[in-house]
Amino acid sequence: MLTEFKWQGRTDEEDGKQGLRWHQVMNSTNSEPNLPNCHLLGLACDLGVKENKGRVGAQNGPKEIRSVLANLPYQYNVNLHDRGDINAQSNLADCQQEYAQEVANSLQQSTFVIGLGGGHEIAWGSYLGLHQAFNHTDAPTAGQKRIGIINFDAHFDLRKPAPNASSGTPFRQIFQHCADNTSAFHYACLGVSRTANTRALFEFALQSNTQFLLDENCCLESAQSLLLPMLREIDVLYVTICLDAFPSDIAPGVSAPSSLGINTKFVLETLRWLASQQTILGYQWPLMDIAELNPKYDIDQRTARLAARLVFESIDARFSFKRLHPSM
């Protein structure tokens, strides 16, 4: 069952339509039929973080991200809709399956879906929903679509479930799903920390043909060189951002803080580049998510504000900077 969030915030009545904020346009009954739709969908869960022996508290992440998004200025020609949260109870697999179904439903109704976490166990649910929407035999988009995944993360999250799945296993689960379905595993991880991954994880990354950039080597030019071969081989792109990829001074509210981290500007530049390459290379980018916001350890909402900025900029990039005001 989906839980709704009450959108509320500041109102700048003196500015009319030019002063609109997210909370004023979210789920509007006056949505423009000719505009693309963007859906928000949360997975309020940190059962995977707990299983992974991380700091619990990320189940409150989706609500905290929305609380910051509410007051952001509305600067798009896009209809914004919030579908609510899947709230985890006691079974990780069940809530991931429920979330996956909602992702698939949203993908059939919108141009762009943004998942809000929660722990990085959201990635397994996001992938399953994307696969169902694009590769299910009864789906309108039936036909085997090659899925590519780009993960901004300090961790590979390629751990083998032993025996249980966790926030550290989603891309290993995806690898196995690809193997079971005789499809290629297209996965790139940007921001990998040498101090956050064991030798076994690096070895499996090589065995699985995982593409990666170490945190110290992350820049747009390096990302372009790494990603272009993969982007030429895929039909559908899924982008996931783990907030522990960023330095702990700007992202203290995460399950596992980073000792070095990657630059926010690098991530934004890469997102804009990925959006621009859709028409050039012919793939679709219908889905992204943000993971590992833990409000319990945040300071002055730094991490929540970072997450909200990433959501804001992703929509901006995804819809080609098409804003309301021509001078912006």
Side-chain angles (χ1 to χ4, degrees):
M1 180 181 295
L2 291 164
T3 302
E4 295 182 0
F5 175 81
K6 184 178 180 180
W7 288 85
Q8 56 187 355
R10 173 174 173 168
T11 301
D12 299 327
E13 291 147 342
E14 68 277 10
D15 293 326
K17 289 186 177 180
Q18 296 298 319
L20 290 175
R21 298 175 184 271
W22 275 46
H23 72 91
Q24 294 171 279
V25 301
M26 187 63 66
N27 301 325
S28 174
T29 55
N30 297 317
S31 295
E32 294 289 340
N34 296 324
L35 293 181
N37 295 313
C38 177
H39 284 191
L40 301 182
L41 177 65
L43 179 60
C45 174
D46 62 6
L47 295 175
V49 174
K50 183 178 181 181
E51 184 68 34
N52 203 30
K53 301 178 176 62
R55 304 192 299 184
V56 296
Q59 76 270 18
N60 294 317
K63 179 180 178 181
E64 193 72 6
I65 296 173
R66 288 187 182 89
S67 71
V68 178
L69 287 172
N71 274 324
L72 294 188
Y74 174 70
Q75 297 175 351
Y76 318 107
N77 281 335
V78 177
N79 296 318
L80 298 176
H81 302 279
D82 182 12
R83 291 181 57 83
D85 289 338
I86 297 295
N87 288 279
Q89 301 300 321
S90 58
N91 187 293
L92 176 58
D94 286 349
C95 74
Q96 287 172 316
Q97 289 289 342
E98 187 178 356
Y99 174 77
Q101 184 60 59
E102 294 298 335
V103 168
N105 293 343
S106 285
L107 286 169
Q108 294 172 11
Q109 302 171 35
S110 67
T111 306
F112 195 40
V113 177
I114 301 178
L116 307 176
H120 216 166
E121 56 263 39
I122 193 175
W124 175 233
S126 289
Y127 170 81
L128 288 178
L130 185 64
H131 186 271
Q132 179 176 336
F134 283 87
N135 284 332
H136 195 279
T137 54
D138 296 329
T141 52
Q144 286 300 309
K145 303 293 185 181
R146 299 165 298 175
I147 296 174
I149 305 166
I150 297 174
N151 178 26
F152 294 89
D153 203 334
H155 305 86
F156 284 118
D157 286 344
L158 284 168
R159 294 180 63 188
K160 185 177 181 180
N164 298 324
S166 73
S167 61
T169 66
F171 304 105
R172 184 69 167 257
Q173 293 171 270
I174 294 170
F175 170 82
Q176 190 59 53
H177 185 273
C178 290
D180 293 343
N181 288 274
T182 62
S183 57
F185 179 58
H186 297 290
Y187 174 50
C189 190
L190 309 181
V192 172
S193 170
R194 290 193 297 168
T195 61
N197 297 273
T198 63
R199 181 181 295 178
L201 289 171
F202 275 101
E203 289 182 355
F204 186 77
L206 294 174
Q207 293 169 17
S208 60
N209 198 33
T210 294
Q211 306 299 305
F212 66 90
L213 279 179
L214 294 176
D215 48 12
E216 59 196 278
N217 297 329
C218 282
C219 66
L220 180 59
E221 293 76 14
S222 296
Q224 290 171 332
S225 297
L226 181 80
L227 297 174
L228 269 172
M230 183 182 85
L231 295 175
R232 292 190 178 106
E233 294 292 324
I234 66 170
D235 303 301
V236 182
L237 176 64
Y238 159 43
V239 176
T240 179
I241 304 175
C242 185
L243 293 167
D244 71 18
F246 298 91
S248 58
D249 59 334
I250 66 169
V254 295
S255 302
S258 176
S259 59
L260 180 61
I262 58 178
N263 189 283
T264 305
K265 184 179 178 182
F266 157 70
V267 177
L268 298 182
E269 288 176 341
T270 306
L271 292 174
R272 291 169 185 147
W273 177 74
L274 290 170
S276 73
Q277 295 301 297
Q278 290 182 100
T279 54
I280 298 172
L281 298 179
Y283 60 82
Q284 300 178 60
W285 177 18
L287 176 66
M288 72 164 288
D289 57 41
I290 305 242
E292 298 289 348
L293 171 60
N294 189 331
K296 182 178 180 181
Y297 297 98
D298 209 0
I299 301 171
D300 296 330
Q301 286 191 308
R302 290 179 199 170
T303 320
R305 292 180 186 279
L306 172 62
R309 181 64 182 263
L310 292 168
V311 171
F312 181 94
E313 296 287 353
S314 296
I315 296 174
D316 203 24
R318 179 61 182 76
F319 296 103
S320 303
F321 304 95
K322 190 175 181 181
R323 299 181 175 184
L324 290 175
H325 200 290
S327 65
M328 294 182 68

